[in-house]
Amino acid sequence: MKLYIAEKPSLGRAIAAVLPKPHKNHEGYIELGNGDCVSWCVGHLLEQAEPGDYQAHWQSWQEQHLPIVPEEWQLKTRKGCQKQLTVLRKLMKQAQQLIHAGDPDREGQLLVDEVIHHCKVSRTKQQQVQRLLVSDLTPAAVTRALGQLRPNREFVPLSVSALARSRADWLYGINMTRAYTLQGRKVHYQGVLSVGRVQTPLLGLVVRRDKAIADFVLRPFYDVLAKLVTEEQQPFTAKWQPSEACQPYQDEEGRVLSKRLAENVAERITDQPAVVTKAEKKRKSQSAPLPYNLSALQIDAAKRFGFSAQKVLDLCQSLYERHQLITYPRSDSRYLPKQQHRDAPKVCQAVAHHCDELAEAVTGADLNRKSRAWNDAKVDAHHAIIPTGKQGSARISADEAKIYQQIARQYLLQFYPDYRFDETKVTVTIGTGVFTAAAKVPVEAGWKALFPAKEGKAETEEEHQAASLPVLQQGQSLHCRQGEVVEKHTQAPKHFTDATLLAAMTNIARHVADPNIKAILKETDGLGTEATRAGIIELLFRRGFLIRQGKQIQASDAGRALIDSLPELATTPDMTAQWEAALEAIRERQQSYQGFMNPLQQQLQRLVEQARQHVPESLRGVQAPKPRRKRKSPAGRGGRSKASGRSPASKRKA
């Protein structure tokens, strides 16, 4: 008997649907017509044991117990999961062949592996486990995946990487949360100070942005514009480019701070001859943006619809599991396997069927076109989020329709030509001063034709310039009618929004000064992963460390006080960057589990000792926020939690 172990019931039913009939539905599994069975987890059936499960005296929070490091790690059954675990244990004992059908990611690999290990499946049977990778729940896609089974042993490093991450986050969260909560009591702070490997640097990012805004000092700076005309009296404007001699009067971004200097330049160029010293015109093209991964979709949906990251994830899960209209949503990839290109006609027909707004775009698509998105070298366990080929009726909500349309349009872009435009760059000399002007003139809309023009959008000065720049030749004589000084002001940084906070997590390297750490972060997924970012942001809101002011995301008083009380290492992305680099090295078989865990435990000892020596005065007089209850997800993960940096210790009363 073969036993297919899916991550959740929806996937289990999708697998069973394409396997031999008739089916017999039992509690917790489906028996197939040929005697094989399909069962499932309900997210994580197992979880890390709590400190008190290891030693009774670890139940209470005491300084002398820290750091808490288990000698032998234990898992325990999650509440409400014992019945399903018993079903799986019985079926695994009966089965001759196990097929692992966890989600195609690091956590999905561990989730089923840990059940197989926990139920003490024989070593021989474990070595024969096969891996089924399903990223699309439609029958055709599941059937195709069943024909491409791989040995599960190929994914052992991925599972070990996930296990190391899970245990490291437990150690860090338990010990740092207890250490700083106990220190907080010394200044009469009554709440739990939850510290996590990812959530705390994210909070630190928001706190530092809030402080930068609060400390911002408005400063004027000055541009000098030359109002020029050709011999045919065609007007255009060029902007002054200060020379090196002007550097003492500029800020670090090259802006001129001296009004007197700007006025002097403007006076000297007024009513003076000018000459075009350089004129370049190039035909350029811009290829279509790639299909979405989860973060890119969340960012765009936040900008366009004001949706939170968690809401987008919930809507995606519903479109994937319930309606089967999109592929696996928790993907970090923006590329597609080449073989999937042959499905384009069917997928596009489905798009036209489900989305009237894109019917015309489907008609105009060139399905023979193969964009850069189809690239096998950049596809691993999962690919970009795209529509499936499923048609039929689908009663989706208005918000689900918005997300589906975003995903579908991004897919259709791959079948449209490049956006083409002429770019002109001109350099003008007036006396000894250098001035520049540039223009972009659209030639062919290409994929941009699928994006409606923004209604009521005022034309900017740059857009007007692009439309009005005359044809100019090198050596051409001009006349500067007037030099004009334009006073501008430096702008304070903006508070984070859902879109910009997600973008910051995705491109966290931009917020790091250390070049070595910056390089590591550029090679990793950023702060958190596609699957965890929404949960981490929501976690900080639930614990009261982040608050919303309209669309703005700001730190609460408690959030600011917590960051001020912690060492810099705990509040910046540096440590998590080093962790992710090590975890990736484990996945690539370049580092061992112990090579990661041993140094981490030594570092933890130093951090706990540092906490003991620091009284967090920033928390004195701060009222602890009241944590919000966790909102139930309409398309939930069945108890699967992937929020790196979560702090299980904070679930217990101190």
Side-chain angles (χ1 to χ4, degrees):
M1 183 261 281
K2 287 183 182 179
L3 173 63
Y4 298 83
I5 307 172
E7 178 165 330
K8 57 181 79 69
S10 59
L11 176 57
R13 288 190 288 270
I15 294 169
V18 301
L19 292 173
K21 296 177 175 61
H23 294 168
K24 293 181 182 177
N25 291 315
H26 300 274
E27 188 169 5
Y29 71 101
I30 299 169
E31 185 180 352
L32 306 176
N34 63 355
D36 293 343
C37 293
V38 178
S39 189
W40 45 78
C41 304
V42 281
H44 276 291
L45 296 179
L46 303 167
E47 63 184 358
Q48 294 284 352
E50 295 282 2
D53 297 321
Y54 290 97
Q55 297 186 35
H57 65 272
W58 282 355
Q59 180 80 22
S60 61
W61 292 28
Q62 302 293 331
E63 278 188 40
Q64 62 267 29
H65 298 158
L66 303 178
I68 293 171
V69 181
E71 290 186 11
E72 291 188 15
W73 288 91
Q74 298 176 20
L75 293 172
K76 65 178 184 179
T77 308
R78 289 176 62 90
K79 186 177 179 181
C81 295
Q82 183 61 56
K83 185 180 291 186
Q84 187 60 22
L85 187 61
T86 301
V87 169
L88 279 169
R89 182 182 282 111
K90 181 180 177 181
L91 290 171
M92 282 191 283
K93 190 174 182 179
Q94 296 171 355
Q96 285 78 48
Q97 174 74 62
L98 302 181
I99 298 171
H100 180 317
D103 278 353
D105 57 19
R106 183 167 70 184
E107 201 73 10
Q109 184 65 40
L110 176 63
L111 188 148
V112 177
D113 278 346
E114 65 186 3
V115 171
I116 293 172
H117 289 286
H118 185 75
C119 292
K120 295 182 170 55
V121 171
S122 70
R123 181 177 293 274
T124 301
K125 196 180 292 186
Q126 284 191 40
Q127 290 174 344
Q128 296 172 350
V129 175
Q130 291 185 294
R131 185 66 162 99
L132 173 62
L133 297 166
V134 177
S135 58
D136 177 344
L137 298 187
T138 58
V142 175
T143 300
R144 185 165 58 242
L146 284 164
Q148 299 172 342
L149 295 177
R150 295 163 64 180
N152 191 53
R153 60 178 176 272
E154 291 181 12
F155 299 88
V156 168
L158 183 65
S159 192
V160 172
S161 173
L163 182 66
R165 195 278 308 160
S166 175
R167 290 177 177 177
D169 279 343
W170 188 96
L171 286 171
Y172 187 79
I174 290 286
N175 286 289
M176 292 291 281
T177 294
R178 289 194 176 197
Y180 280 93
T181 297
L182 290 169
Q183 290 301 98
R185 290 178 183 174
K186 296 177 181 179
V187 293
H188 309 293
Y189 182 82
Q190 298 304 311
V192 173
L193 291 170
S194 174
V195 181
R197 191 250 314 183
V198 176
Q199 59 162 300
T200 307
L202 175 59
L203 178 60
L205 198 66
V206 178
V207 168
R208 283 187 285 276
R209 174 63 61 86
D210 290 350
K211 286 183 176 178
I213 294 168
D215 297 341
F216 176 75
V217 177
L218 189 74
R219 289 192 303 174
F221 66 95
Y222 306 92
D223 286 341
V224 179
L225 303 179
K227 302 294 184 177
L228 296 152
V229 291
T230 65
E231 291 178 349
E232 293 78 21
Q233 300 302 302
Q234 294 174 300
F236 71 99
T237 301
K239 182 180 174 181
W240 178 46
Q241 304 300 310
S243 65
E244 288 186 15
C246 299
Q247 284 185 357
Y249 306 98
Q250 294 175 278
D251 64 11
E252 62 278 1
E253 294 185 29
R255 295 174 295 205
V256 173
L257 304 178
S258 170
K259 186 175 183 180
R260 188 171 181 178
L261 171 62
E263 289 175 339
N264 182 43
V265 172
E267 288 173 6
R268 290 172 61 185
I269 65 172
T270 296
D271 197 24
Q272 293 296 314
V275 63
V276 177
T277 50
K278 191 174 183 181
E280 291 182 332
K281 181 179 179 180
K282 293 182 180 179
R283 177 69 53 87
K284 292 191 172 183
S285 63
Q286 182 182 348
S287 57
L290 293 166
Y292 284 124
N293 60 15
L294 180 58
S295 288
L297 174 60
Q298 287 169 321
I299 291 167
D300 277 4
K303 290 177 180 176
R304 185 163 187 181
F305 310 121
F307 290 170
S308 70
Q310 188 62 50
K311 181 170 183 175
V312 175
L313 179 55
D314 291 343
L315 293 169
C316 283
Q317 283 297 135
S318 181
L319 288 167
Y320 170 62
E321 292 182 16
R322 182 180 174 189
H323 303 296
Q324 298 180 8
L325 292 182
I326 66 169
T327 60
Y328 179 67
R330 293 171 180 258
S331 174
D332 61 354
S333 174
R334 300 193 69 173
Y335 292 88
L336 298 165
K338 288 181 180 178
Q339 69 170 16
Q340 206 164 48
H341 189 270
R342 66 189 180 200
D343 298 334
K346 187 177 180 181
V347 173
C348 289
Q349 286 173 12
V351 169
H353 177 79
H354 294 297
C355 189
D356 292 341
E357 295 87 346
L358 292 175
E360 187 177 339
V362 170
T363 303
D366 176 6
L367 300 187
N368 292 317
R369 177 179 289 274
K370 189 174 284 187
S371 76
R372 61 195 173 108
W374 277 275
N375 187 335
D376 289 342
K378 295 192 176 183
V379 176
D380 191 9
H382 39 77
H383 56 68
I385 308 169
I386 63 171
T388 66
K390 181 181 177 182
Q391 296 191 32
S393 61
R395 294 185 178 180
I396 61 177
S397 69
D399 286 346
E400 286 171 340
K402 290 176 180 177
I403 295 300
Y404 179 80
Q405 185 174 336
Q406 287 287 109
I407 294 168
R409 179 168 55 192
Q410 203 80 0
Y411 177 74
L412 291 176
L413 297 181
Q414 310 313 311
F415 305 102
Y416 273 75
D418 290 354
Y419 163 59
R420 299 168 69 227
F421 58 93
D422 285 337
E423 184 177 76
T424 302
K425 292 183 178 180
V426 176
T427 302
V428 175
T429 301
I430 310 172
T432 58
V434 176
F435 296 75
T436 61
K440 273 185 183 179
V441 179
V443 174
E444 183 181 346
W447 58 266
K448 284 201 172 189
L450 272 65
F451 289 88
K454 293 181 180 178
E455 296 180 6
K457 179 186 173 186
E459 187 182 55
T460 66
E461 184 178 337
E462 287 184 359
E463 288 168 334
H464 177 72
Q465 174 78 7
S468 60
L469 193 62
V471 176
L472 299 168
Q473 303 293 331
Q474 186 170 338
Q476 184 175 342
S477 297
L478 305 169
H479 181 72
C480 179
R481 286 178 172 174
Q482 183 181 1
E484 179 184 348
V485 176
V486 178
E487 181 174 324
K488 297 182 178 180
H489 294 89
T490 54
Q491 299 291 314
K494 294 181 179 179
H495 285 289
F496 282 114
T497 63
D498 285 284
T500 58
L501 188 56
L502 272 168
M505 294 179 78
T506 306
N507 301 299
I508 194 65
R510 296 179 184 177
H511 300 267
V512 175
D514 187 305
N516 294 323
I517 299 298
K518 188 184 285 283
I520 292 172
L521 285 166
K522 283 181 178 178
E523 296 299 319
T524 65
D525 285 338
L527 191 58
T529 66
E530 302 294 327
T532 63
R533 288 180 187 126
I536 295 163
I537 294 171
E538 286 299 308
L539 187 69
L540 289 168
F541 277 111
R542 285 204 312 274
R543 289 177 173 164
F545 295 134
L546 289 181
I547 57 175
R548 290 188 187 275
Q549 299 286 349
K551 291 185 178 181
Q552 297 176 355
I553 295 175
Q554 299 179 29
S556 66
D557 291 342
R560 288 191 293 273
L562 171 58
I563 294 301
D564 289 344
S565 70
L566 292 169
E568 185 178 5
L569 177 66
T571 70
T572 62
D574 298 29
M575 186 181 70
T576 196
Q578 292 163 340
W579 280 29
E580 286 298 336
L583 293 170
E584 181 63 18
I586 293 173
R587 191 177 79 86
E588 296 291 336
R589 302 176 188 265
Q590 296 171 358
Q591 182 166 332
S592 69
Y593 168 85
Q594 289 298 340
F596 170 67
M597 294 296 289
N598 289 342
L600 184 146
Q601 291 177 21
Q602 295 169 8
Q603 182 186 44
L604 190 59
Q605 179 75 50
R606 294 192 294 270
L607 287 169
V608 168
E609 188 58 38
Q610 187 176 352
R612 286 196 182 105
Q613 297 171 5
H614 175 67
V615 178
E617 291 294 337
S618 61
L619 289 160
R620 194 180 295 277
V622 176
Q623 187 172 358
K626 292 182 180 180
R628 295 194 334 237
R629 286 188 177 183
K630 184 175 182 179
R631 176 175 65 86
K632 286 187 178 180
S633 165
R637 298 282 288 169
R640 174 174 169 183
S641 172
K642 300 196 350 179
S644 297
R646 71 185 178 93
S647 201
S650 65
K651 295 180 181 178
R652 294 187 178 275
K653 291 184 178 178

